[in-house]
Amino acid sequence: MIPIAKPYLTEEEAQAAYDTILSGWITQGPKVQEFEEKFAAYTGAKYAVAVSNCTTALHLAMIVASIGPGDEVICPSMSYIATANAIRYVGATPVFAEVEPDTYNLDAADAEARITDRTKAILLVHQIGMPADIDTFKDLCSKYNLKLIEDAACAAGSAYKGAKIGSHSELVCFSFHPRKVISTGDGGMITTNREDYYDRLKLLRQHGMSVNDRVRHEANRIIFEDHVELGYNYRMTDIQAAVGIKQLEKLDWIVEERRKIAAAFNQAFNGIDSIRLPQEHEGYFSNYQSYSIYLKDTAAVSRNTLMQKLLDRGVATRRGIMNTHRETAYKNYAPDVSLPVSMELQDNSIILPLYVPMKPEDINYVIDCFKKEILPVAQIKLCYRKEQG
C-alpha cells in the first residue's frame, strides 16, 4: 500500500531524542529555546514561541490579539475544524467566508463582504501549503482596523513574495503534526515580530507563571514564581524540540524533494481536460504539504469511486479539504451560510500520496493508476502512444 503521507525521520532525530532523554531535562527547557531561536531565524521573524500543537497556538494567538465574546473572526469553512474551534475557544464567533477555486485559499472579496461592526480579525489559512495573498489581506485589515492572524499549520517552508511564511504578520501559527512537512510527533510554533506578544505568549503557555522552570533551575539564588494571569499547559517538551531542530535543518531539502514530486504529477497530468491541477501563481512558493486535484463534471468517474478504485490498486488517497460548517459540531451553528465553491471543492477534490522519500516507481505507479481510472479507455491509448513518441 502506498500511504497518503509519511514523516521523514532518521537516526539523527532518534539520536537527538535519546541524548535529550539522557540529559535529564525532558520538559520545556534549553532545547525548546534553541528550537525557537532557530525557527525564528529560518522564517525571518523576530520571535518564535513553541507550544504543544497548532490548535493551542491558534488559541493563544486569539487571546493575545484580544479577541473574545461578542467578536467575530472571518475564516474559511474549508479548513481543518481546529481553525474555527480556536475562535470559539475564546467565546468569539467564526464567520465563514468563501475560498478561491484555484488555490483553496480565502477569497478576499467575499471576506470583505462579510465584515460587520463586530468583526475583530481575519484568520487567514495557507491551505495545504499554498500561500494565501497576505498583502491583500493586510490591506483589508488595515482598511477596517482588524487583526490578521495566519493559520500556517501546513506552511512551514512555503514562501510569499520571496519571504518565508512566518515573517509577514504579527501572529503566525505552525503545526508539526506527522502529516506536516516536518514533525516533532506533535507540536506547534507561533512567530511574531511584537515583543509584547512574545512575552505574553511565553507566559500563557506555562500556566501564567512569571518565571519558567529553566530560569529557576539555572538561578544562583532562590526564586519564587507568581502566577500572574489565567494560563494554560501548552508547552512543548525538550524531547520534541530536539527532534524539531534536526527536522528544521532538513526543511529546505524536504520542500525541494516534495516540489519535484509535485512537478512530476503536474507534468504527467497536464492536458487532462477533466481535472484541475494545483495553481501556484507568480510570487507564491508552496511546500506541497498535500497535492490536491479537482475533478470537473466531465471526469469519467466520480471522486468517491475514484478513491475506492485507487485504494483497490493499493494507493491511499484522501477526500478534499473538509468544510467545517458541514460537520456535526457545527450543523446548527451557521445553518444559513452559503459556500457553494467550498462545498464543490470538498466534494470533488482528491488528495494523492506525496511524501519524502517517495520511490520513483511509487510515483510512477500513482500516476499510472490515476490515469487509468480518470481517463476514458480511448484517451489512455492516445496518451500511451504520445509517451512512446
Side-chain angles (χ1 to χ4, degrees):
M1 175 65 69
I2 297 177
I4 189 70
K6 288 195 295 187
Y8 180 67
L9 297 165
T10 70
E11 290 184 1
E12 287 186 327
E13 285 82 0
Q15 186 65 51
Y18 175 84
D19 291 343
T20 301
I21 290 169
L22 293 187
S23 75
W25 194 288
I26 57 175
T27 189
Q28 177 182 288
K31 286 296 180 184
V32 166
Q33 182 179 359
E34 181 183 351
F35 187 30
E36 290 171 335
E37 291 171 352
K38 289 183 174 179
F39 195 84
Y42 176 85
T43 61
K46 287 184 179 179
Y47 310 106
V49 178
V51 289
S52 52
N53 53 65
C54 190
T55 306
T56 58
L58 289 167
H59 184 197
L60 295 187
M62 294 292 155
I63 294 172
V64 299
S66 300
I67 295 165
D71 295 331
E72 294 178 349
V73 178
I74 294 173
C75 69
S77 172
M78 190 176 179
S79 183
Y80 187 63
I81 199 168
T83 301
N85 283 352
I87 298 168
R88 293 180 67 183
Y89 291 162
V90 294
T93 301
V95 174
F96 296 124
E98 197 57 280
V99 298
E100 300 169 335
D102 58 342
T103 67
Y104 302 170
N105 284 324
L106 204 57
D107 182 299
D110 190 77
E112 183 172 16
R114 298 175 193 265
I115 294 173
T116 71
D117 57 3
R118 294 175 60 194
T119 306
K120 189 71 171 287
I122 295 176
L123 181 49
L124 185 64
V125 180
H126 302 295
Q127 198 54 261
I128 57 177
M130 187 66 70
D133 189 355
I134 299 172
D135 284 349
T136 293
F137 282 94
K138 287 178 77 172
D139 290 344
L140 192 60
C141 288
S142 178
K143 178 180 178 181
Y144 292 96
N145 193 29
L146 307 176
K147 296 288 187 181
L148 179 63
I149 300 170
E150 295 178 47
D151 182 343
C154 298
S158 295
Y160 173 76
K161 295 186 178 180
K164 298 290 187 188
I165 297 297
S167 62
H168 298 89
S169 52
E170 292 179 348
L171 291 163
V172 187
C173 303
F174 295 87
S175 172
F176 304 127
H177 182 274
R179 276 282 279 118
K180 304 306 188 287
V181 176
I182 59 172
S183 179
T184 58
D186 209 338
M189 191 77 76
I190 311 165
T191 58
T192 183
N193 291 320
R194 286 184 52 165
E195 187 175 7
D196 57 335
Y197 282 177
Y198 172 63
D199 290 339
R200 193 168 181 219
L201 288 166
K202 289 190 296 178
L203 192 73
L204 289 169
R205 72 172 171 188
Q206 191 170 356
H207 304 287
M209 191 185 299
S210 60
V211 182
N212 67 42
D213 294 333
R214 181 182 55 81
V215 170
R216 286 187 296 161
H217 177 75
E218 294 173 352
N220 57 11
R221 59 184 178 83
I222 296 171
I223 296 178
F224 295 111
E225 73 283 2
D226 183 21
H227 296 81
V228 298
E229 67 172 307
L230 178 67
Y232 306 87
N233 186 4
Y234 285 175
R235 291 169 291 185
M236 176 183 283
T237 70
D238 259 24
I239 301 170
Q240 293 170 290
V243 172
I245 291 165
K246 290 299 179 183
Q247 287 275 279
L248 187 60
E249 292 172 359
K250 302 168 184 175
L251 178 52
D252 284 341
W253 175 82
I254 292 172
V255 170
E256 181 182 354
E257 293 300 303
R258 296 183 77 92
R259 289 178 61 84
K260 288 177 183 177
I261 298 167
F265 287 159
N266 287 339
Q267 183 176 8
F269 302 143
N270 186 40
I272 300 178
D273 294 334
S274 59
I275 63 175
R276 184 170 64 233
L277 301 179
Q279 302 296 306
E280 185 182 60
H281 300 301
E282 185 177 354
Y284 296 70
F285 181 89
S286 176
N287 64 12
Y288 283 99
Q289 183 268 338
S290 292
Y291 188 91
S292 182
I293 294 176
Y294 171 75
L295 275 60
K296 301 177 184 177
D297 56 12
T298 55
V301 64
S302 71
R303 193 278 308 276
N304 290 0
T305 300
L306 175 61
M307 290 179 70
Q308 186 60 54
K309 285 180 175 290
L310 290 173
L311 186 61
D312 293 343
R313 290 178 177 271
V315 178
T317 61
R318 292 292 182 269
R319 65 173 181 170
I321 302 152
M322 68 183 292
N323 277 211
T324 297
H325 78 281
R326 300 169 91 177
E327 296 297 307
T328 301
Y330 280 79
K331 235 167 195 176
N332 299 317
Y333 191 77
D336 300 323
V337 68
S338 177
L339 300 167
V341 175
S342 297
M343 293 189 291
E344 171 74 11
L345 291 172
Q346 178 188 6
D347 293 343
N348 295 290
S349 294
I350 182 172
I351 295 174
L352 298 185
L354 198 162
Y355 51 87
V356 174
M358 194 171 181
K359 297 176 183 177
E361 56 265 36
D362 289 343
I363 297 170
N364 292 332
Y365 184 72
V366 170
I367 291 170
D368 185 55
C369 290
F370 182 85
K371 281 186 170 181
K372 285 179 178 177
E373 299 299 346
I374 198 67
L375 293 171
V377 174
Q379 197 171 349
I380 293 173
K381 290 179 179 178
L382 178 62
C383 288
Y384 179 76
R385 286 197 294 271
K386 286 181 178 179
E387 288 170 359
Q388 296 301 307

